[in-house]
Amino acid sequence: VVLIRCIPLINSLLQSFALLRLRFDVVTLLTKIVKLEQKSKKEKQSLLSIKINKFIELKNIFFSYEENKDVLKNISININKNDKVAIIGRSGSGKTTLINIIMGLQKFNIGQIVIDGKKINQSSRYLIDNCGYLSQNTFLINDTIINNIIINEKFDEKKFNEAVNFASLNTFFDKSKNFHSTKIGEYGLNLSTGEKQRIGMARLFYNNPEIIIMDEPFASIDKNTSLEIIENIKNSWNKKTIIVITHQDFFNFMFNKIFSIENGTIKKND
């Protein structure tokens, strides 16, 4: 669903190729969209769009980019609907690769994924339905802040204001005189990294996916503002499945499951 919603933006995004070169995550997603559209009707039908109603379980997953160099080794985890999950590990430990496998953006070499009892092997092609993703580098278009939050959705003022409050963007909007018309500049030139991340969170709230995956969402946001947003997450997203990649531990209290990855292996923290 996330990918399909991006399709109407392809033409305008291609006109900003310089921007896309600096946003590898977006280029990757768009490439997957283009390749998918070029597949035959039969091949399209083979792509499973799966909604998680109860749980997703990874069983003995192995993955490597090169032969005999495993990035992930014998990964087995269970994530139930509405779980709040943290995946902790150093840079290069395999956290992002694991997330890509869970979302269906990356095939695995060995193992099995089970979603609500449906078995998915390494040859299956699938995407998790109604899944929202916030990367470390929030993708922004050279448009107004409003359009960067609603991203091709119909504007709803009430929902928009709720999204702004959710992401603690109130003070930012208070000092922005013409946020309805003022463009943020390419790469979000006029914004701090923390403001970009908060716009990404407001976008997730506005789009309202059932499953939310965030990669280092508070890395560039001050602790007080982060705690405000975390409180909003607890209140507004208590019935959503949330998976967070992080190296920070000040908000561990919001998770009911915490996994650590080291050297490609995973363990559940007590």
Side-chain angles (χ1 to χ4, degrees):
V1 171
V2 174
L3 295 178
I4 300 303
R5 286 177 176 173
C6 290
I7 292 175
L9 291 172
I10 292 177
N11 290 334
S12 60
L13 292 176
L14 290 176
Q15 294 173 3
S16 301
F17 181 70
L19 170 61
L20 294 179
R21 287 188 303 169
L22 299 179
R23 291 292 182 268
F24 178 75
D25 56 330
V26 176
V27 174
T28 302
L29 291 177
L30 290 176
T31 300
K32 290 179 182 292
I33 293 171
V34 172
K35 287 182 177 179
L36 178 59
E37 289 302 303
Q38 290 175 342
K39 297 292 184 181
S40 67
K41 183 177 180 180
K42 182 177 179 181
E43 288 174 317
K44 286 183 184 179
Q45 290 173 341
S46 69
L47 178 64
L48 304 174
S49 178
I50 300 178
K51 182 176 181 179
I52 300 177
N53 294 308
K54 294 181 180 179
F55 68 90
I56 178 169
E57 183 179 6
L58 278 65
K59 293 184 175 182
N60 310 115
I61 297 293
F62 285 80
F63 174 80
S64 62
Y65 291 104
E66 300 178 31
E67 190 174 355
N68 298 323
K69 291 186 178 181
D70 289 327
V71 177
L72 298 177
K73 308 170 187 175
N74 201 28
I75 300 293
S76 294
I77 63 173
N78 182 284
I79 299 173
N80 296 314
K81 185 176 181 180
N82 300 335
D83 269 350
K84 310 297 182 284
V85 179
I87 298 176
I88 300 172
R90 291 178 293 181
S91 178
S93 61
K95 303 186 303 295
T96 301
T97 300
L98 176 59
I99 289 298
N100 287 338
I101 288 174
I102 291 173
M103 289 193 294
L105 298 177
Q106 178 66 63
K107 286 186 176 182
F108 49 96
N109 302 122
I110 300 173
Q112 190 176 76
I113 293 177
V114 180
I115 300 177
D116 295 344
K118 183 179 180 62
K119 297 179 181 179
I120 299 171
N121 58 35
Q122 62 267 30
S123 64
S124 301
R125 299 175 64 241
Y126 77 97
L127 292 172
I128 296 298
D129 189 34
N130 206 2
C131 177
Y133 176 61
L134 177 65
S135 70
Q136 292 187 49
N137 299 312
T138 304
F139 171 62
L140 300 171
I141 56 177
N142 185 18
D143 206 328
T144 62
I145 296 172
I146 286 179
N147 286 337
N148 270 281
I149 289 176
I150 69 174
I151 296 290
N152 208 43
E153 295 281 343
K154 183 178 179 181
F155 179 72
D156 181 304
E157 185 173 4
K158 181 177 181 293
K159 187 163 71 168
F160 177 80
N161 289 333
E162 290 174 349
V164 169
N165 291 331
F166 173 85
S168 292
L169 281 166
N170 314 66
T171 55
F172 177 71
F173 278 107
D174 288 344
K175 68 183 180 182
S176 300
K177 295 181 180 179
N178 298 311
F179 63 84
H180 280 279
S181 58
T182 302
K183 294 186 177 183
I184 64 171
E186 290 195 352
Y187 326 124
L189 188 64
N190 301 324
L191 305 176
S192 69
T193 304
E195 287 167 343
K196 294 175 188 177
Q197 285 186 306
R198 282 187 282 163
I199 286 175
M201 290 182 194
R203 181 187 298 164
L204 282 176
F205 182 93
Y206 195 90
N207 287 332
N208 195 32
E210 292 181 3
I211 301 170
I212 295 162
I213 299 175
M214 299 185 285
D215 193 347
E216 298 288 1
F218 303 111
S220 299
I221 302 176
D222 67 88
K223 187 173 181 179
N224 288 336
T225 303
S226 296
L227 289 172
E228 288 179 12
I229 296 171
I230 289 164
E231 190 63 28
N232 293 337
I233 289 174
K234 288 172 61 181
N235 293 332
S236 300
W237 285 352
N238 61 313
K239 293 185 178 180
K240 294 185 183 294
T241 305
I242 301 175
I243 305 172
V244 178
I245 294 174
T246 183
H247 69 279
Q248 299 168 302
D249 59 8
F250 71 88
F251 60 107
N252 280 357
F253 62 88
M254 72 169 280
F255 303 111
N256 65 302
K257 292 179 181 177
I258 300 176
F259 297 97
S260 296
I261 294 185
E262 185 174 358
N263 297 323
T265 62
I266 196 166
K267 69 175 183 178
K268 185 177 180 180
N269 297 5
D270 295 330

